[in-house]
């Protein structure tokens, strides 16, 4: 009876150690995929608030008004954003391409709502400092000297 118990115990130990190894390999594979996937922006994001900067330090912050919503969606190469304002929900959107190099996000807008088309007529390329985390990011507007002015702060929706 003792040898059967010993064999049974060894089998259980083997089974659980294989399971742990498989879980560890899965974790390593997931981490590798995330580090090999340079497109951490891909997905849907919702604006949560803003930071204002002075001397590159946050001096004020604002949460998004619950009556207004702004979403951004990134595919592999395209960006589209829209802003919902109860009085006129169709008036704020933009569409174009984007790229980022780790700490800099560049959006090049092709067209947008009537108001945005006026902005795009003057400027099509928007460059931001990017602080990207797995479930949140900040796009930070810089002045001509490279100082932070304000940021839009987003959380991942999908």
């Amino acid at each position: 009876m003792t040898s059967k118990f010993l064999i049974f115990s060894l089998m259980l130990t083997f089974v659980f150690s294989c399971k742990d190894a498989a879980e560890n390999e899965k974790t390593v594979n997931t981490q590798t995929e995330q580090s090999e996937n340079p497109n951490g922006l891909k997905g849907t994001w919702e604006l949560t608030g803003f930071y204002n900067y002075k001397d590159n330090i946050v001096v004020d912050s604002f949460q998004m008004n619950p009556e207004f919503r702004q979403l951004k969606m990134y595919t592999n190469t395209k960006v589209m954003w829209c802003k919902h304002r109860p009085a006129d929900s169709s008036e704020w959107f933009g569409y174009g391409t984007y790229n980022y190099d780790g700490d800099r996000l560049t959006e090049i807008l092709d067209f947008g709502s009537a108001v945005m088309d006026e902005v795009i007529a003057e400027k099509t390329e928007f460059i931001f400092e990017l602080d990207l985390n797995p479930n949140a990011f900040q796009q930070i507007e810089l002045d001509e000297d490279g100082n932070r002015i304000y940021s839009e702060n987003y959380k991942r929706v999908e």
Side-chain angles (χ1 to χ4, degrees):
M1 184 97 164
T2 315
S3 63
K4 287 182 181 180
F5 179 74
L6 181 61
I7 291 172
F8 181 72
S9 296
L10 288 173
M11 285 178 32
L12 281 177
T13 303
F14 177 74
V15 167
F16 284 112
S17 67
C18 288
K19 181 181 177 190
D20 289 343
E23 287 177 5
N24 287 340
E25 183 177 334
K26 183 179 177 183
T27 300
V28 169
N29 287 342
T30 301
Q31 290 171 343
T32 301
E33 288 172 11
Q34 288 173 347
S35 65
E36 289 176 355
N37 178 7
N39 198 347
L41 274 175
K42 187 175 177 181
T44 305
W45 303 83
E46 183 165 6
L47 183 64
T48 59
F50 307 89
Y51 292 154
N52 286 327
Y53 291 86
K54 182 175 181 179
D55 299 324
N56 292 316
I57 297 171
V58 175
V59 293
D60 204 0
S61 64
F62 302 93
Q63 295 300 312
M64 193 65 177
N65 181 333
E67 293 182 24
F68 300 88
R69 290 184 75 191
Q70 182 168 312
L71 296 166
K72 278 193 165 192
M73 290 188 265
Y74 292 94
T75 68
N76 286 332
T77 59
K78 302 293 183 185
V79 60
M80 183 165 184
W81 63 266
C82 61
K83 184 184 296 187
H84 174 71
R85 295 172 44 185
D88 186 4
S89 64
S90 65
E91 192 48 42
W92 288 97
F93 72 88
Y95 172 82
T97 59
Y98 77 98
N99 60 62
Y100 75 96
D101 63 6
D103 63 352
R104 189 170 93 166
L105 169 65
T106 303
E107 295 180 354
I108 300 123
L109 296 182
D110 297 329
F111 66 89
S113 60
V115 172
M116 276 309 298
D117 275 343
E118 291 176 18
V119 174
I120 293 168
E122 299 292 321
K123 176 181 176 182
T124 60
E125 187 174 84
F126 300 85
I127 301 171
F128 306 99
E129 180 181 329
L130 179 67
D131 184 4
L132 177 62
N133 295 294
N135 292 310
F137 79 88
Q138 296 174 349
Q139 68 178 44
I140 305 165
E141 179 80 20
L142 304 174
D143 67 16
E144 59 277 352
D145 297 324
N147 297 308
R148 293 174 170 182
I149 303 170
Y150 75 93
S151 71
E152 292 182 356
N153 308 321
Y154 290 85
K155 70 176 180 180
R156 185 180 294 279
V157 175
E158 181 181 349

